[in-house]
Amino acid sequence: MSFVYTPPADPLEVLYRDENLIVLNKPAGLLSVPGRAQDHKDSLQSRVEAAYGGALVVHRLDMDTSGAIVMAFDKETHRHLSKQFEIKTVTKEYVCLVDGLVADEEGQVDLPLRCDWPNRPLQMVDTELGKKALTRWRVLTRREEEAVTRLALTPVTGRSHQLRVHCLSLGHPILGDRFYAPQSVISKSARLCLHAEMLSFDHPMTGKRLSFMAPCEF
């Protein structure tokens, strides 16, 4: 018997929608695209398809990451948006909570990454075989009583788990990171404290620059 996907009743948090594209605030714990297993069919893409009749994925957020994400409704829009990501004219900014008090006010992490094949989907720093990965960061606030720092992260490249691994490399893993943080840091939050707060790109049809802010829960 074939599996029929029934989307949950939870409404989509739509930041913007027109005939060409849709921008949403993805909740933490939801896949961007459906997985192969039947119990992984629920995803943001599946919900958009059920609500609007179709959706083409331009980029993804990790299941544990929340925030702004754009999908296309037609192939031309998809091609145009994908090109913007490729040539790096899309601007993305994330916020996160990391363990410990970060000493400097700002900086960058330039460490190449590759898949840690025996431990997939984990990624690892590899200066010989890794692909270039660059993240700029700055301190937003320090919570001294909690020994926690709130950072703004701007990824220049878009490698899998890039922000998680780069924060770890600073010596400040992200709270709730079940892949890379020690148990003491995982237990500080019921979710991964990583959120795509801002997304900015050129509208494929009008050329107008669009910027969206997604409300953050932490």
Side-chain angles (χ1 to χ4, degrees):
M1 189 172 84
S2 61
F3 174 78
V4 178
Y5 171 70
T6 302
D10 295 342
L12 293 165
E13 187 174 348
V14 179
L15 304 177
Y16 174 85
R17 179 173 66 91
D18 61 24
E19 62 181 359
N20 303 113
L21 57 88
I22 185 170
V23 181
L24 308 108
N25 184 14
K26 186 187 86 66
L30 180 67
L31 292 166
S32 291
V33 300
R36 294 181 179 180
Q38 288 193 2
D39 58 348
H40 290 162
K41 292 301 181 185
D42 187 28
S43 69
L44 190 67
Q45 183 187 26
S46 302
R47 296 184 185 186
V48 173
E49 288 179 340
Y52 300 107
L56 300 173
V57 176
V58 179
H59 64 126
R60 305 182 187 188
L61 294 175
D62 291 342
M63 181 177 74
D64 295 339
T65 304
S66 57
I69 185 171
V70 61
M71 294 184 182
F73 287 135
D74 59 82
K75 291 182 179 180
E76 179 60 21
T77 299
H78 180 267
R79 184 195 65 77
H80 200 293
L81 288 172
S82 297
K83 185 65 176 180
Q84 291 186 57
F85 274 91
E86 180 184 341
I87 63 177
K88 297 180 174 55
T89 57
V90 175
T91 302
K92 296 177 289 181
E93 186 167 290
Y94 293 70
V95 292
C96 71
L97 297 179
V98 299
D99 186 54
L101 300 177
V102 178
D104 295 331
E105 294 301 320
E106 61 182 16
Q108 67 177 34
V109 180
D110 187 1
L111 290 174
L113 302 175
R114 69 167 177 84
C115 181
D116 183 0
W117 289 107
N119 300 297
R120 287 176 292 178
L122 271 62
Q123 306 292 308
M124 61 183 292
V125 174
D126 188 327
T127 56
E128 294 184 1
L129 302 176
K131 294 182 178 179
K132 182 175 178 59
L134 176 63
T135 302
R136 298 191 176 103
W137 60 268
R138 70 180 188 280
V139 171
L140 296 174
T141 57
R142 295 181 180 88
R143 303 178 185 175
E144 294 192 13
E145 67 284 357
E146 302 173 48
V148 168
T149 304
R150 187 180 183 90
L151 296 178
L153 305 174
T154 303
V156 179
T157 54
R159 307 300 177 198
S160 179
H161 291 187
Q162 175 178 318
L163 301 181
R164 298 187 188 206
V165 178
H166 279 179
C167 284
L168 179 66
S169 74
L170 289 172
H172 299 281
I174 298 175
L175 302 192
D177 190 345
R178 59 192 176 95
F179 286 154
Y180 300 99
Q183 187 58 46
S184 60
V185 177
I186 297 173
S187 62
K188 286 188 175 183
S189 176
R191 59 155 292 181
L192 175 71
C193 292
L194 178 62
H195 177 79
E197 185 177 53
M198 191 276 290
L199 178 65
S200 181
F201 55 86
D202 297 331
H203 194 286
M205 300 301 125
T206 67
K208 181 180 178 181
R209 189 71 177 179
L210 302 176
S211 295
F212 303 97
M213 297 293 293
C216 182
E217 295 180 353
F218 55 82

